[in-house]
Amino acid sequence: MKKLVALLSFAALMAVAVTTSLAQDPDTKQKPKQETPKAESPSKQPPKRSNDGVLDFPDVEGWEKGSVVKYPQVQLGYSVNYDGDLGNRVSIYVYNAGRKDIGKSLEGAVKQEVERAKAEIDMIAEMGAYSDVKVIKDERSMLGGKSGKIETLRKVLTFKVRGAEQHSEIIIFPFEGNFVKLRATWPRRLGPDAEAAAAQLMGEIERFFLMYIEISEATKVAARLQ
């Protein structure tokens, strides 16, 4: 168990460099938008899964989706980053942390996991990479906003990296025996535009999961009818 905690903590530490780079230069210019062919609306993209079970998350306008990172320890699962035009980032992690009791409830394992994720931030702060860590919100929230359908546990925090204040969100919900964790981080100086962009991305991610759930349920019904 201690080895697993160490592995999870190491994965969290890998995110420090990213957050630090976001705060290095408060006057960093926004990324220029690349003229690329417009992708099909994410809400119309059929959910896909590779042969090894990795979800193929959708392309979302205004965000650059990175390559999937598969961790060598199966309990750490995989992750993908979305980098926004404003210099903000949302990372999605799908993993089970070696647990078999995740279930579908936000209580128990999921609640413990969101607290563990917050503890990782505190640990990084103790190491000196973050300072002035504050929890602004600790709530149940819908992934897609007020009209969303997937309920999550959500913590909103602020902390400083090299003197630059950061906005950070931890969002976790259960899915098919795994945790789905979203970490959204951006310098607070980016203001409401960064928050709106993140909300738009969250909405598309929710639609992706809802489509996958609907297809999965339809497949199960068809199998029972055969």
Side-chain angles (χ1 to χ4, degrees):
M1 184 63 184
K2 290 182 179 179
K3 183 178 180 181
L4 174 57
V5 171
L7 290 170
L8 291 168
S9 299
F10 176 76
L13 288 172
M14 296 298 289
V16 174
V18 174
T19 306
T20 302
S21 67
L22 287 172
Q24 281 179 348
D25 183 2
D27 297 318
T28 299
K29 295 181 179 179
Q30 297 177 7
K31 295 180 182 179
K33 293 185 178 180
Q34 298 179 346
E35 295 297 328
T36 54
K38 191 172 181 180
E40 184 181 7
S41 171
S43 60
K44 295 181 180 179
Q45 296 176 28
K48 298 177 183 177
R49 195 168 208 160
S50 64
N51 291 335
D52 55 1
V54 175
L55 291 166
D56 182 10
F57 290 105
D59 296 310
V60 179
E61 187 175 2
W63 294 86
E64 181 180 347
K65 184 179 72 169
S67 300
V68 171
V69 176
K70 290 184 65 178
Y71 299 102
Q73 295 79 17
V74 65
Q75 61 266 35
L76 297 184
Y78 57 94
S79 67
V80 64
N81 292 322
Y82 283 87
D83 289 304
D85 293 336
L86 297 173
N88 42 349
R89 168 171 283 194
V90 175
S91 302
I92 304 176
Y93 302 87
V94 182
Y95 62 103
N96 61 30
R99 300 189 67 150
K100 298 181 180 180
D101 61 342
I102 296 173
K104 297 181 179 180
S105 171
L106 293 182
E107 298 300 324
V110 175
K111 187 173 183 179
Q112 292 167 13
E113 185 62 16
V114 76
E115 294 302 330
R116 191 193 63 77
K118 164 60 169 58
E120 286 179 344
I121 292 177
D122 291 335
M123 179 187 67
I124 295 169
E126 289 175 2
M127 295 172 62
Y130 297 166
S131 63
D132 296 333
V133 177
K134 299 176 183 177
V135 177
I136 307 302
K137 291 182 181 179
D138 188 351
E139 62 185 4
R140 289 188 178 222
S141 178
M142 295 299 180
L143 180 60
K146 292 181 179 179
S147 60
K149 296 182 179 179
I150 295 179
E151 191 175 25
T152 72
L153 293 183
R154 174 174 178 252
K155 283 185 183 289
V156 179
L157 308 97
T158 60
F159 52 82
K160 291 182 180 178
V161 178
R162 297 183 180 178
E165 193 167 19
Q166 308 294 308
H167 174 99
S168 181
E169 298 187 13
I170 304 170
I171 299 170
I172 298 183
F173 62 94
F175 177 74
E176 294 189 343
N178 288 303
F179 300 112
V180 177
K181 179 173 71 176
L182 293 90
R183 278 291 311 272
T185 306
W186 60 82
R188 290 199 70 188
R189 63 181 174 78
L190 295 180
D193 289 345
E195 187 172 354
Q200 178 249 355
L201 174 61
M202 300 294 183
E204 295 296 352
I205 296 302
E206 180 181 70
R207 279 187 279 274
F208 171 84
F209 275 102
L210 290 174
M211 287 177 63
Y212 188 91
I213 292 169
E214 289 173 0
I215 291 173
S216 179
E217 290 300 321
T219 301
K220 290 176 184 177
V221 170
R224 286 198 297 266
L225 293 176
Q226 288 180 354

